[in-house]
Each structure stands twice: as structure tokens, then as C-alpha cells.
Amino acid sequence: MDTKSRILDEALTLFSEKGYANVFVSEIAERVGIKAPSLYKHFESKQAIFDALIREMNNNFLKQAGMLHIQGNDAVRDAAIYKNLTEEQLISLGKNLFMYFLHDDYVRRFRKMLTMAAYHDKELSEAYMKHYVDDPLSYQGMLLGLMVQEGILHAEDTEMMTLHFYAPIYMLLTACDRDPAREKGAVEILEKHIRQFNRLYGRKTDPR
């Protein structure tokens, strides 16, 4: 791991342990084993480190999405993929994404950092809302809306349909963050949720 990557890794660990506001650049440098002036050769400020962490997390997610044969950030292209998946394939995809968000070390530490700061740091609170509320609802709303337009799903209100799909998943992820022992039950509930969603909104169990 090069120095720049080590800085990001140690910074994320410190931010998730102590909270973003309580970590100083000198602490990050010390954890990496370099002096603060050397760190500034790679990042001009703590804010620059934070911005790089966001980019890294997004890049990691897109790599994971690619491994699961979806785009992850392009609802139009993903809608064309999702409409041809069987219910069992949707459940498998849903479980894989859920486990990625729950267990990927980078994503887990990033979520913990934002959660810790959400109540007393406006910028990080906005970042939390963007990554775990606004962006998922926007992407999923567009994806589900396209599937409604093609007659694959049926709903009078796609906004409420999107909330119905995402809210339980968000709740399950949050519950597992607080109590890891809930994971097995959460995965079982996730499967039931996807099956019920398909029944309620009229998706065929096998689109082929």
C-alpha cells in the first residue's frame, strides 16, 4: 500500500473511532508513520482527505456493482438488466449488495464515521443524507419508475413504491450495525421483503 493509500486508510479508521471533528492531521500522520509536513505533500487539508475518502468509497462501490453485473449508478442501463432477472436472481443480487454494505471494511468504517458526526457536524450530516437517503432514493426511484413505464411493475405512486422498497433495507442495515447478531434474521427478512415487493407491485416471478 502506497503512502497516499495508507493516509486514507488510517484517516478513515481514526474518523470512525473518534469522530471526524476530533481527529487532527498530526494524528493521522503519526498513525501512518510520517510527519505532518510529509502528509501535506499528498493532501492539503483534512477536508481534502475526507473528499478523497468519498471518491474512494464511490469507486469501490462501482467495482462491486460491476462484479455483480450491474452499473450501480446508471438507472437506465440497470433497468434493462433488472427487468430480465428472475425473482431468485433479484434476491441473490439483493443479498450480495446488502452483505457488501454491511461487511465491506471500507464502507463500514465510512458509515460509522458519518453516523457519529451526523448530529453535530452539518457537512457530514449532509454527506450522510446524500449517501444513505437522497442518492439511493433517487437512483432506485428512477430505476423503478422505468420498470413501471415498461409495464414490468405497476404502481400509481412511484415515490411511495421506492420508499417501500428502500426503507426496510435501510432499517435492516442500521439494525445490524447496532447489533451484528441480527444479521441472520435480517437476511431472511430481506428475502421475504423482495418477494412481497414483487407480489404487491405485480412483477412476474420469471420475466423470461
Side-chain angles (χ1 to χ4, degrees), residues 47-73:
Q47 178 65 51
I49 294 174
F50 176 74
D51 293 341
L53 286 172
I54 290 180
R55 290 193 297 271
E56 186 68 15
M57 194 194 72
N58 289 337
N59 288 338
N60 287 345
F61 169 69
L62 292 179
K63 289 178 183 177
Q64 179 66 23
M67 291 173 62
L68 296 174
H69 309 293
I70 60 173
Q71 297 295 310
N73 64 347

Side-chain angles (χ1 to χ4, degrees), residues 101-154:
F101 281 108
L102 184 61
H103 287 298
D104 182 86
D105 186 56
Y106 200 98
V107 174
R108 180 184 56 79
R109 285 182 290 160
F110 184 84
R111 187 168 60 252
K112 184 178 179 183
M113 171 188 69
L114 293 186
T115 301
M116 290 177 66
Y119 296 99
H120 52 79
D121 187 305
K122 185 176 185 297
E123 182 180 3
L124 268 66
S125 177
E126 291 174 351
Y128 184 95
M129 291 297 293
K130 172 178 170 59
H131 283 85
Y132 297 107
V133 179
D134 297 335
D135 284 358
L137 289 176
S138 176
Y139 165 79
Q140 291 176 17
M142 184 176 293
L143 188 151
L144 294 173
L146 289 167
M147 295 180 74
V148 168
Q149 289 179 22
E150 293 198 24
I152 298 167
L153 297 175
H154 305 280

